[in-house]
Amino acid sequence: MTTTNEILKVQNLSKSFGSLQVLKDISFTVNKGDVLGIIGPSGSGKSTLLRTVCQLERVTGGSISVCGDSLVKDGVYSDKAALRKIALNVGLVFQNFNLFPHFSVLRNITEAQRVVLGKSKEEANSLAMELLAKMGLESKANFYPCQLSGGQQQRVSIARALALKPQVLFFDEPTSALDPELTGEILSVIRELAKTKMTMVVVTHEMAFARDTSDHIIFMDGGMIVERGTPSDVINNPKEERTKAFLKRFNDVR
């Protein structure tokens, strides 16, 4: 049964590419206002998990519901109208920004508002400028992505996702394409969103950030959830040997 605070529910999720099973019996819930951090080595299935919830990959089995609406139940997908409704409640910030290079910063943020939500140009522009101001990029509205730093581009992509007012925002290793000195500015933006009680699922290799910002942590390896719990439990006091071995590489969190 779905509670009123439950934004995302994943049950017994599996995903295979041919004979390769990349997700195995994944189950978890995310409540309104919570930040779930997902950590684990490369190839553990973290990004694939996000892509299934965001309808970029189809699952092999299991169930996903968003805001109480069924995306897929026991491997069977809902109809197109239901999927479209769910898509509007979900935002995704990619590793590599995925901005339209031939659109200005402003148009990158307004295009989906106008095409998907049917907003007027004035409405879309007003919200876009409000979000750019929050990102410290108001003066860059008429720039093109190639004129921005990687950190600025990622802030634009976050603003673009927020413009559609999703109920849950997913980040797929949002700092992995950035130089180390630019990583901090993106993590700062996510921390500020967490303070506003934005519901988020963040796949990250930044262990200190995951520990300090998340309400719950999942450690994945081999397509499975190996360990889960509070940030203090999973990162500072892991119980599983595989988790301990993974975290030994991160000296800043132990």
Side-chain angles (χ1 to χ4, degrees), residues 183-193 209:
T183 293
E185 66 184 68
I186 299 305
L187 298 183
S188 178
V189 168
I190 301 173
R191 286 190 188 98
E192 289 303 311
L193 289 173
F209 166 77

Side-chain angles (χ1 to χ4, degrees), residues 93 105 109 127-140 151-163 169 171 185-186 188-190 192-193:
V93 178
V105 164
I109 300 172
L127 179 56
M129 292 306 298
E130 178 185 325
L131 289 168
L132 284 174
K134 288 181 179 178
M135 298 293 162
L137 294 173
E138 202 169 9
S139 64
K140 306 293 186 183
Q152 289 171 333
Q153 290 186 61
Q154 191 62 296
R155 278 183 278 160
V156 172
S157 70
I158 294 171
R160 179 179 62 182
L162 289 171
L169 190 55
F171 291 87
E185 66 184 68
I186 299 305
S188 178
V189 168
I190 301 173
E192 289 303 311
L193 289 173

Side-chain angles (χ1 to χ4, degrees), residues 13-15 48-49 51-64 70-84 86:
L13 197 69
S14 63
K15 170 65 180 175
T48 300
L49 174 58
R51 291 175 65 83
T52 62
V53 179
C54 295
Q55 301 185 47
L56 298 175
E57 299 282 358
R58 291 181 74 86
V59 306
T60 306
S63 304
I64 302 170
S70 177
L71 168 65
V72 56
K73 184 172 177 59
D74 298 328
V76 179
Y77 277 81
S78 296
D79 60 37
K80 288 183 179 180
L83 297 184
R84 185 178 184 279
I86 289 169

Side-chain angles (χ1 to χ4, degrees), residues 204-245:
T204 182
H205 286 298
E206 302 289 336
M207 294 302 116
F209 166 77
R211 179 195 61 198
D212 297 340
T213 308
S214 304
D215 296 290
H216 308 281
I217 295 279
I218 284 173
F219 170 66
M220 289 181 65
D221 189 34
M224 298 183 291
I225 295 176
V226 175
E227 191 162 352
R228 70 178 82 206
T230 66
S232 177
D233 288 341
V234 176
I235 293 181
N236 291 345
N237 300 289
K239 296 180 176 62
E240 301 294 331
E241 290 303 319
R242 182 65 188 93
T243 316
K244 293 176 183 177

